[in-house]
Amino acid sequence: MSIYYWNCAAGLVKKFMLIKDLIKNEKPDVVFIAEADILNNRNLDCFKIEGYNFCCGPTLVSRGKTRIACWYSNKFVRLQNLEHEHNDIIVLSNSEMGHVVVGLYRPFKCFEGESLRTNFNRLIDNLNLISSRGESNIFIGDFNVNYTVDDNGPFKNELDQWATDHFLDQLVRDQTRSRMVAGRLQSSLIDLVFSNIPSLNVNTCFNVASDHCIIKVKPHNPKPPPNRTKTLYSFLDWRNYSQTNITKEFNANFKGINIHNHNPESINLIITNAICTALNKVVPKRTVTINSVNAVVSPKIQALKNKKRKAYKKWTRTGDINDYNCLKEISRLYNLEIKLERKKELSGKLNGSPKQYWSAINELVGKGTDTINSLTINNNVVTDSGIIANEFASFFQNKVNNLVEGSAAEVFDIPDLHVGDDEIVYLNEEVITTALHQMKSSKAQGFDEIPSIVLKHLQTAVVKPLCWLFNNILDSSCLPKSWKLARIVPIHKKGSKTDINNFRPISNISSMSKLFERCLVNRIKHKDPDIIFGEHQHAFRVGSSTTTACLTLQDYLATKLDQSYKAILYSVDLTAAFDLLRPNLLVQKLLNLNVERYIIKCILSFLTGRKAFVDVNGCNSNIFKIGVGCVQGSVLGPMLFNIYMHDLANKIKELNSETFTLAYADDTYVVLPFKDNINQAKIDIENIFTGHVGWLQKLGMICNPSKTEIMILGFKNALPTFTLNNNPVKPASKMKILGIIFDSMLSWDNQVNQVIKKANSVGYSLRILRFILPDTLFLKVVQSNFLCHFVYGSPVWAGCLTQRQCQKLDRVIFKTYRFYCGDFRRLLSRFEVCRRTKLRSFNSLRLINDAIMLHRLYSDPSNTTITIRFIDQAFSLSRFPDPIGFFDTSQKRIGKSSFVNRSKYIAETIPFTWSNMTHALFKTKIKATTPLTL
């Protein structure tokens, strides 16, 4: 069933051919035409259309003129007994669906001898008569009551009262009449649709032949429209949660543990049940249904879009200046409405919880969300979360199984790991308390749904039971089975979010398991980290980061280029590195490092017999087994992976003693310096790569050849093609290393362009947020989503830039600053702009970050290549109270790009004595003493 209503605005006779074409093309069931202006002497046969019945309103007989006419199909019959003879109204009934359809028109100019009030009261009496029959009704017509203006008008109030009495909803939301008055476009909502039928879809369509929209009423499609979403959302209600309440409920439910109970499974169950019972009372789980409409695609915007399209066609057809002005006005209103709706939608999100607030900010600046709405499976788009979860489970499991079958790891039979009673060093309450303080206070949870923050708040009550549990695990070397069940959340890496290959599995495991893992990590940490991890590894180590890794590599390359060497650099990327870790080979590594056997047995229990399921939007997949690999998302995982790969640098050194190796997690970079013989260097690097890949294969690791890159630094002649593991690889002119772009001459032009591109990508979002957020919050967004691109890794590259490159970056920075200040004509000086925003210029940011890195390397050095050289070039000046100086050993300009050599200049710019300061105090003071602009 489809019903059309149109106020044609100038009489049916003039518009009949247009209406006839509309009916033939759209084929609606009912078409009402208002302001038809048909006189009783008119021959009605000329209005007949094949397949439709034609009728006019009852005033054609009583008043000699009717202002409403109708075409309707044979599905409908007319109910003239319900039509008042002095009203412009037509009542139709659909016998199949049981609906009554009423088309009406309330004239603004009344017939002679009556007032607007009399006319309106007669119409309301007629509507009450029809509505009181208790049927499914649709009332559609021009009521000449502006719903967007007459909020307190008497006619609108009476219409609302009638609709309320008969449970009717007004379904039209956008303006239905637009006309030019004194050069301005005036819009109003006077064509209305009232109905008590829940499944109706009402749209408006602008037609240039009238200043009224055509109103289309149809039943809803079986599928919801794209702009409407209905979500069943399950969440934990933390409103009544407090540390006092959770401790009180836990003490009431926890009955203690029998000292003769040494079964970890049973002890864990007792503790878990007590915590979960307390959580159910303090943090109940609630389920709500959310119905939402995307405000940016509102009916009003859709109507303006249709008007704009029609106006454009008319202007291109006529070329009239008035049509052009009308198009400009509609375009202005269309753009203005989009801005208003975006602001309204975003304001609603920003008024929610902090999580919802930052989710809205991140979505706006392009960071997106982790929600998976659809997935492409066998060229079919799947939206059911349950099916998607099972597809992810099969994909993750089959991917690892196929990789394991395609790799040939070394065979190592685990020996008898017998542990004597006197070998176990048991945990005490102090050790567990320390581990609790080290845990992140997040609400991420595993299968038991116990967040880490709850364990921290229950510290005084739960530390003794946990101590008993953990020590029994050390005795039995057997972890509870529930700790080995992981809830996997697919995390998007890059590319399309509908492609299953662009996701990686991150596991959420039990918080108590994480706490036990933290205790084991602390036990292993007492050994020398360079022996455990290797000094080439910068990931998952205190004091190390991607910046220190890139600094080490840049320092080495700049030093070699300064000494007239050339260098060949290649990178290796591993496929699913964590998922292919072999437990038996890890045990061999741990034994070689003299790790205690009772710890090794616990780690082996942690890695074996694991299971998992995938959670997508609250829907869980089937549980599947995990044969090999280390859990991504665990506390132990990063340390175990570093131990697994700890002798990588030594193995490559055995292949060629001149090599330099650097790693960050599974990303490895190998450098071979050479003088002039490129052919010999080519042979050497190919042999090194072959030996490197062979060693990885023995560990069961698989190198991804598509991501293997090679670059030659300082060599300007024709570059040869390398054959790496039987694959031809052409040298690149640049290489992205941990997010920073290195080029063959360490000139950093590509890095500067990347920073500018990333910063400009959030410019539009910042313009929207500027008029929504308060000043303080807006500046925080600028720092976290805009300036972060200028700060990331800046000690590596920012101090090596030319003046021209610094000016390019400053122009981008001050463009945003001036936008915040409203200084569009550039009338303010840069100093004044920085003073008003309290944000810094690029040179100021660079100097602060360089000084912070200098203090970090000096105050907390570790046994790595850059820190050894850094300390060797530091000295004290005895004439002054405790100042620190540095040597500059560079021979050429490129040598000064090394951070170690730049430290001389950085130290001289620090205006205070800093060698004995804590790192936190130094950061505060350097920011306070450095000007906002330099």
Side-chain angles (χ1 to χ4, degrees), residues 339-494:
K339 290 180 180 179
L340 292 175
E341 290 292 346
R342 286 189 182 277
K343 181 177 180 179
K344 180 180 177 182
E345 180 195 31
L346 188 59
S347 297
K349 292 180 179 179
L350 297 180
N351 290 331
S353 63
K355 183 176 181 180
Q356 184 183 13
Y357 171 88
W358 283 111
S359 175
I361 295 293
N362 292 334
E363 182 179 356
L364 188 65
V365 299
K367 291 186 178 180
T369 60
D370 294 331
T371 305
I372 303 173
N373 297 318
S374 63
L375 202 66
T376 303
I377 303 172
N378 297 327
N379 296 325
N380 296 320
V381 179
V382 178
T383 57
D384 185 87
S385 296
I387 298 176
I388 294 174
N390 281 311
E391 284 295 328
F392 270 114
S394 300
F395 172 74
F396 291 144
Q397 185 181 24
N398 293 335
K399 178 181 179 181
V400 174
N401 291 340
N402 293 337
L403 290 174
V404 170
E405 292 176 2
S407 61
E410 277 186 327
V411 177
F412 175 76
D413 296 327
I414 300 175
D416 181 21
L417 299 173
H418 175 72
V419 179
D421 294 336
D422 57 341
E423 295 182 33
I424 300 177
V425 180
Y426 292 103
L427 303 173
N428 56 37
E429 294 178 18
E430 183 181 353
V431 172
I432 296 176
T433 302
T434 302
L436 268 172
H437 291 161
Q438 293 174 336
M439 292 181 68
K440 294 182 179 179
S441 298
S442 64
K443 293 180 181 177
Q445 53 206 7
F447 180 68
D448 56 11
E449 296 188 341
I450 301 176
S452 300
I453 192 172
V454 172
L455 289 182
K456 299 186 78 169
H457 288 167
L458 287 172
Q459 173 186 321
T460 56
V462 84
V463 67
K464 281 189 176 182
L466 288 178
C467 187
W468 184 255
L469 170 63
F470 291 174
N471 286 328
N472 276 281
I473 293 175
L474 294 179
D475 260 333
S476 62
S477 301
C478 183
L479 273 68
K481 292 181 180 179
S482 60
W483 291 8
K484 297 185 180 184
L485 180 62
R487 181 173 69 93
I488 293 178
V489 179
I491 300 297
H492 179 250
K493 295 188 294 185
K494 58 182 178 180

Side-chain angles (χ1 to χ4, degrees), residues 285-346:
K285 181 176 286 189
R286 300 184 185 276
T287 303
V288 297
T289 302
I290 301 176
N291 291 300
S292 62
V293 176
N294 185 356
V296 179
V297 193
S298 66
K300 187 174 181 179
I301 290 177
Q302 190 62 43
L304 287 171
K305 184 178 180 181
N306 293 335
K307 290 180 183 179
K308 182 180 177 182
R309 184 177 66 251
K310 298 291 185 180
Y312 176 76
K313 288 183 178 179
K314 183 179 180 182
W315 172 65
T316 55
R317 185 174 68 251
T318 64
D320 188 13
I321 186 64
N322 293 328
D323 293 335
Y324 175 72
N325 291 333
C326 181
L327 173 63
K328 284 181 64 177
E329 181 66 18
I330 294 174
S331 297
R332 185 187 68 81
L333 292 172
Y334 175 70
N335 295 331
L336 177 62
E337 191 62 32
I338 288 179
K339 290 180 180 179
L340 292 175
E341 290 292 346
R342 286 189 182 277
K343 181 177 180 179
K344 180 180 177 182
E345 180 195 31
L346 188 59

Side-chain angles (χ1 to χ4, degrees), residues 32-146:
F32 293 106
I33 301 297
E35 294 191 10
D37 295 337
I38 299 176
L39 303 178
N40 60 358
N41 59 358
R42 166 71 64 178
N43 182 7
L44 302 182
D45 292 338
C46 64
F47 298 118
K48 290 184 177 180
I49 298 176
E50 185 179 357
Y52 289 85
N53 302 308
F54 178 76
C55 67
C56 296
T59 56
L60 185 65
V61 178
S62 62
R63 301 282 189 173
K65 178 183 178 180
T66 184
R67 307 209 71 186
I68 191 165
C70 175
W71 284 269
Y72 60 94
S73 67
N74 294 328
K75 298 178 183 179
F76 290 82
V77 293
R78 186 177 181 186
L79 304 179
Q80 286 184 288
N81 60 316
L82 297 179
E83 301 170 358
H84 194 285
E85 60 179 348
H86 294 319
N87 287 336
D88 288 300
I89 188 170
I90 297 175
V91 183
L92 304 174
S93 175
N94 185 318
S95 57
E96 295 179 1
M97 304 183 69
H99 297 334
V100 173
V101 179
V102 180
L104 58 94
Y105 174 76
R106 187 183 78 85
F108 189 76
K109 294 182 180 180
C110 303
F111 289 104
E112 186 178 353
E114 67 178 7
S115 64
L116 287 174
R117 168 54 63 184
T118 303
N119 176 287
F120 186 81
N121 288 343
R122 185 174 65 241
L123 176 63
I124 288 294
D125 291 340
N126 200 166
L127 296 180
N128 280 319
L129 173 66
I130 300 170
S131 305
S132 62
R133 291 163 52 90
E135 297 175 311
S136 300
N137 298 315
I138 301 173
F139 298 89
I140 180 171
D142 182 354
F143 288 77
N144 271 311
V145 175
N146 192 346

Side-chain angles (χ1 to χ4, degrees), residues 565-794:
Y565 278 89
K566 283 80 174 174
I568 301 177
L569 165 67
Y570 75 78
S571 66
V572 170
D573 182 80
L574 302 180
T575 301
F578 275 67
D579 297 327
L580 295 179
L581 185 146
R582 305 301 202 273
N584 60 327
L585 296 181
L586 177 64
V587 170
Q588 183 184 28
K589 303 275 185 180
L590 292 170
L591 288 172
N592 293 338
L593 293 172
N594 297 318
V595 176
E596 292 82 354
R597 289 176 176 252
Y598 73 93
I599 294 179
I600 296 176
K601 291 182 70 175
C602 290
I603 292 174
L604 187 61
S605 176
F606 170 78
L607 293 175
T608 55
R610 301 198 66 90
K611 297 180 180 180
F613 65 92
V614 177
D615 181 356
V616 175
N617 303 330
C619 293
N620 298 333
S621 71
N622 298 325
I623 296 176
F624 59 94
K625 294 182 179 180
I626 300 176
V628 298
C630 185
V631 183
Q632 295 189 54
S634 64
V635 177
L636 263 174
M639 173 175 279
L640 297 182
F641 181 80
N642 280 354
I643 292 174
Y644 197 68
M645 305 287 291
H646 84 283
D647 50 355
L648 170 62
N650 293 331
K651 294 297 181 182
I652 295 179
K653 277 284 186 184
E654 292 176 4
L655 297 171
N656 191 308
S657 60
E658 299 297 323
T659 55
F660 172 81
T661 304
L662 179 123
Y664 191 88
D666 59 335
D667 294 326
T668 306
Y669 305 93
V670 178
V671 183
L672 176 66
F674 67 98
K675 277 291 184 179
D676 297 310
N677 193 343
I678 184 66
N679 294 323
Q680 183 60 45
K682 175 179 179 296
I683 296 173
D684 292 341
I685 203 70
E686 290 174 349
N687 292 333
I688 293 170
F689 186 85
T690 302
H692 183 178
V693 172
W695 180 80
L696 290 173
Q697 290 174 347
K698 291 180 180 179
L699 294 179
M701 296 292 168
I702 297 178
C703 175
N704 188 347
S706 63
K707 294 184 179 181
T708 299
E709 295 180 289
I710 194 166
M711 180 172 66
I712 304 179
L713 292 94
F715 191 79
K716 297 182 179 179
N717 298 333
L719 303 179
T721 298
F722 293 81
T723 302
L724 303 180
N725 203 24
N726 299 323
N727 296 310
V729 179
K730 291 185 178 180
S733 59
K734 59 183 179 180
M735 183 185 296
K736 180 177 282 190
I737 300 175
L738 304 177
I740 299 175
I741 300 180
F742 286 66
D743 57 44
S744 58
M745 296 304 296
L746 298 182
S747 63
W748 308 108
D749 278 331
N750 294 294
Q751 173 65 17
V752 170
N753 293 335
Q754 175 185 247
V755 170
I756 292 175
K757 181 179 179 181
K758 287 184 176 180
N760 286 335
S761 67
V762 299
Y764 175 72
S765 303
L766 293 177
R767 284 176 172 79
I768 296 176
L769 290 172
R770 177 66 187 95
F771 302 105
I772 299 175
L773 296 179
D775 290 350
T776 54
L777 289 180
F778 177 76
L779 292 178
K780 287 183 179 179
V781 173
V782 170
Q783 289 176 323
S784 59
N785 293 283
F786 176 77
L787 291 180
C788 63
H789 301 301
F790 298 87
V791 171
Y792 175 71
S794 62

Side-chain angles (χ1 to χ4, degrees), residues 732-893:
S733 59
K734 59 183 179 180
M735 183 185 296
K736 180 177 282 190
I737 300 175
L738 304 177
I740 299 175
I741 300 180
F742 286 66
D743 57 44
S744 58
M745 296 304 296
L746 298 182
S747 63
W748 308 108
D749 278 331
N750 294 294
Q751 173 65 17
V752 170
N753 293 335
Q754 175 185 247
V755 170
I756 292 175
K757 181 179 179 181
K758 287 184 176 180
N760 286 335
S761 67
V762 299
Y764 175 72
S765 303
L766 293 177
R767 284 176 172 79
I768 296 176
L769 290 172
R770 177 66 187 95
F771 302 105
I772 299 175
L773 296 179
D775 290 350
T776 54
L777 289 180
F778 177 76
L779 292 178
K780 287 183 179 179
V781 173
V782 170
Q783 289 176 323
S784 59
N785 293 283
F786 176 77
L787 291 180
C788 63
H789 301 301
F790 298 87
V791 171
Y792 175 71
S794 62
V796 180
W797 56 273
C800 313
L801 302 183
T802 63
Q803 185 177 0
R804 180 185 61 83
Q805 291 170 326
C806 292
Q807 289 173 349
K808 286 178 64 176
L809 295 170
D810 256 339
R811 279 196 294 269
V812 177
I813 288 177
F814 279 98
K815 181 181 178 182
T816 298
Y817 292 180
R818 291 184 187 278
F819 175 76
Y820 168 79
C821 297
D823 182 28
F824 302 109
R825 297 185 178 181
R826 300 176 180 270
L827 301 178
L828 299 177
S829 66
R830 289 193 171 187
F831 173 78
E832 181 63 20
V833 170
C834 290
R835 188 189 66 81
R836 293 190 181 187
T837 60
K838 296 182 180 179
L839 299 175
R840 299 181 178 276
S841 67
F842 175 73
N843 284 328
S844 179
L845 290 170
R846 181 198 65 186
L847 182 60
I848 288 176
N849 284 282
D850 282 352
I852 291 173
M853 178 57 67
L854 181 145
H855 186 272
R856 177 179 175 182
L857 294 176
Y858 182 83
S859 61
D860 186 22
S862 58
N863 188 25
T864 59
T865 305
I866 189 171
T867 50
I868 292 174
R869 184 163 171 251
F870 183 83
I871 298 300
D872 286 345
Q873 291 187 214
F875 64 93
S876 297
L877 296 174
S878 57
R879 290 188 178 185
F880 302 97
D882 197 30
I884 301 297
F886 294 88
F887 293 107
D888 181 356
T889 61
S890 59
Q891 302 173 18
K892 302 177 182 178
R893 185 194 64 81

Side-chain angles (χ1 to χ4, degrees), residues 131-322:
S131 305
S132 62
R133 291 163 52 90
E135 297 175 311
S136 300
N137 298 315
I138 301 173
F139 298 89
I140 180 171
D142 182 354
F143 288 77
N144 271 311
V145 175
N146 192 346
Y147 251 54
T148 59
V149 176
D150 302 332
D151 290 335
N152 298 313
F155 292 164
K156 181 177 184 299
N157 290 339
E158 291 183 36
L159 272 179
D160 288 340
Q161 186 61 46
W162 160 69
T164 302
D165 292 342
H166 299 285
F167 305 99
L168 301 170
D169 295 320
Q170 204 291 104
L171 303 179
V172 182
R173 295 290 179 263
D174 53 302
Q175 310 287 6
T176 56
R177 181 183 66 172
S178 300
R179 61 176 61 175
M180 297 293 294
V181 178
R184 296 188 63 185
L185 183 68
Q186 292 184 355
S187 300
S188 56
L189 173 53
I190 57 177
D191 302 324
L192 309 176
V193 176
F194 292 91
S195 178
N196 57 2
I197 302 173
S199 57
L200 285 184
N201 189 11
V202 178
N203 293 318
T204 57
C205 177
F206 180 74
N207 193 300
V208 293
S210 172
D211 55 5
H212 286 254
C213 293
I214 299 175
I215 299 179
K216 303 177 182 180
V217 180
K218 295 181 180 181
H220 272 305
N221 295 327
K223 296 181 179 180
N227 62 328
R228 184 175 294 276
T229 59
K230 183 177 181 180
T231 308
L232 190 65
Y233 180 56
S234 180
F235 67 100
L236 294 174
D237 188 355
W238 292 84
R239 289 176 295 182
N240 297 323
Y241 175 83
S242 71
Q243 185 172 349
T244 303
N245 290 343
I246 193 67
T247 304
K248 180 181 177 181
E249 291 295 336
F250 176 80
N251 290 332
N253 291 286
F254 183 63
K255 305 304 181 184
I257 303 172
N258 191 328
I259 61 172
H260 301 293
N261 187 349
H262 298 282
N263 183 358
E265 195 75 47
S266 173
I267 299 171
N268 176 65
L269 185 61
I270 294 171
I271 301 173
T272 301
N273 286 342
I275 298 176
C276 289
T277 304
L279 275 174
N280 288 336
K281 293 183 179 180
V282 180
V283 189
K285 181 176 286 189
R286 300 184 185 276
T287 303
V288 297
T289 302
I290 301 176
N291 291 300
S292 62
V293 176
N294 185 356
V296 179
V297 193
S298 66
K300 187 174 181 179
I301 290 177
Q302 190 62 43
L304 287 171
K305 184 178 180 181
N306 293 335
K307 290 180 183 179
K308 182 180 177 182
R309 184 177 66 251
K310 298 291 185 180
Y312 176 76
K313 288 183 178 179
K314 183 179 180 182
W315 172 65
T316 55
R317 185 174 68 251
T318 64
D320 188 13
I321 186 64
N322 293 328

